[in-house]
Amino acid sequence: MTTNADIARTAMNDPAVQEQLHAAADRGRQAYCTTFTTYMGLLGSYTYFDSRFLNCNQEDWYSAFEFWNVTWMRCQILCCIVYTVLAFVVLLASLQLLSIIMLAVVSVVSLIVALIFAHLSWWCVVVNNGCCGNVGYFIWALIFLIDAIWLLGSGKGLLGLVYLILTISTAYLMVICWKLGAGSTARQIVTAVSTDRQSNAQQHSDGLTSA
């Protein structure tokens, strides 16, 4: 009897199917790279302040996410510049030349990573509706939560306090993901865990009764 798994394996081994998959992957990469240019344009042209997006009730949560995402990236650039300049002055005063070079390298790399992260989150949430629906929003909410925790305990000393401004935009991004569907997924997870615990407790009780 032919199973669905057998049919899937046969299809995956078909050269025509493999060619179509590769073509689809290429189109996806091209589309992703194209949106990177769009995102760079947003960083340069998007409004710097809009009181509408300060509310926790929005008519368009995607626009709100885009605003706070761009704000997050702009704050990353500002914080990185301020931190790097202050750290440079401190290191230069003590003639730590090797540390200055490392500071420059780390600053550039951190900005590149932040830009990739900001664009990827924007691409997944705004362009592709979370990619995985409510689960996608839930994953991004968790990522932003981890980012907020890391910011609060980054261990960069007093100079690192400049990065605390990022917690504002990060908090808004978490709330937006929650509103878009992360909250629904979280409630489903809690319900599933609660149901599973009740089921296990009932089985344990039945086992004791039968014993």
Side-chain angles (χ1 to χ4, degrees):
M1 180 180 179
T2 302
T3 64
N4 291 334
D6 293 331
I7 296 174
R9 279 193 292 268
T10 301
M12 290 299 295
N13 292 327
D14 188 336
V17 173
Q18 292 180 0
E19 184 177 351
Q20 292 177 1
L21 290 174
H22 287 310
D26 289 337
R27 288 194 298 270
R29 283 192 293 268
Q30 291 173 3
Y32 177 80
C33 293
T34 300
T35 60
F36 193 84
T37 303
T38 303
Y39 185 77
M40 293 299 292
L42 289 175
L43 287 178
S45 62
Y46 210 88
T47 180
Y48 281 83
F49 178 77
D50 193 328
S51 59
R52 294 176 303 163
F53 299 126
L54 295 176
N55 298 322
C56 289
N57 290 308
Q58 298 288 331
E59 294 182 2
D60 185 356
W61 286 108
Y62 295 105
S63 294
F65 186 93
E66 185 172 79
F67 170 79
W68 284 109
N69 177 278
V70 170
T71 300
W72 183 89
M73 187 59 222
R74 285 171 172 172
C75 287
Q76 280 280 0
I77 296 172
L78 176 62
C79 290
C80 185
I81 292 174
V82 173
Y83 175 83
T84 302
V85 170
L86 293 176
F88 173 79
V89 172
V90 172
L91 294 173
L92 185 62
S94 55
L95 298 177
Q96 299 183 43
L97 299 181
L98 182 59
S99 295
I100 290 176
I101 296 175
M102 289 300 299
L103 172 67
V105 173
V106 171
S107 297
V108 171
V109 172
S110 64
L111 271 184
I112 293 174
V113 172
L115 181 58
I116 294 173
F117 174 80
H119 171 254
L120 181 61
S121 61
W122 172 81
W123 182 79
C124 287
V125 174
V126 178
V127 179
N128 288 285
N129 299 326
C131 284
C132 306
N134 289 347
V135 174
Y137 300 130
F138 180 77
I139 292 172
W140 279 110
L142 283 180
I143 292 174
F144 288 123
L145 176 60
I146 294 171
D147 181 60
I149 294 173
W150 180 84
L151 286 171
L152 294 173
S154 59
K156 290 188 176 183
L158 291 177
L159 295 182
L161 293 177
V162 297
Y163 279 93
L164 291 180
I165 192 175
L166 285 166
T167 57
I168 299 174
S169 52
T170 303
Y172 270 103
L173 289 169
M174 283 191 292
V175 171
I176 293 169
C177 286
W178 183 271
K179 294 288 188 177
L180 283 171
S184 176
T185 299
R187 285 188 289 271
Q188 290 175 1
I189 292 174
V190 170
T191 301
V193 171
S194 177
T195 302
D196 184 62
R197 285 183 176 179
Q198 291 177 0
S199 177
N200 290 337
Q202 184 63 43
Q203 290 177 3
H204 180 69
S205 176
D206 294 342
L208 292 176
T209 302
S210 60

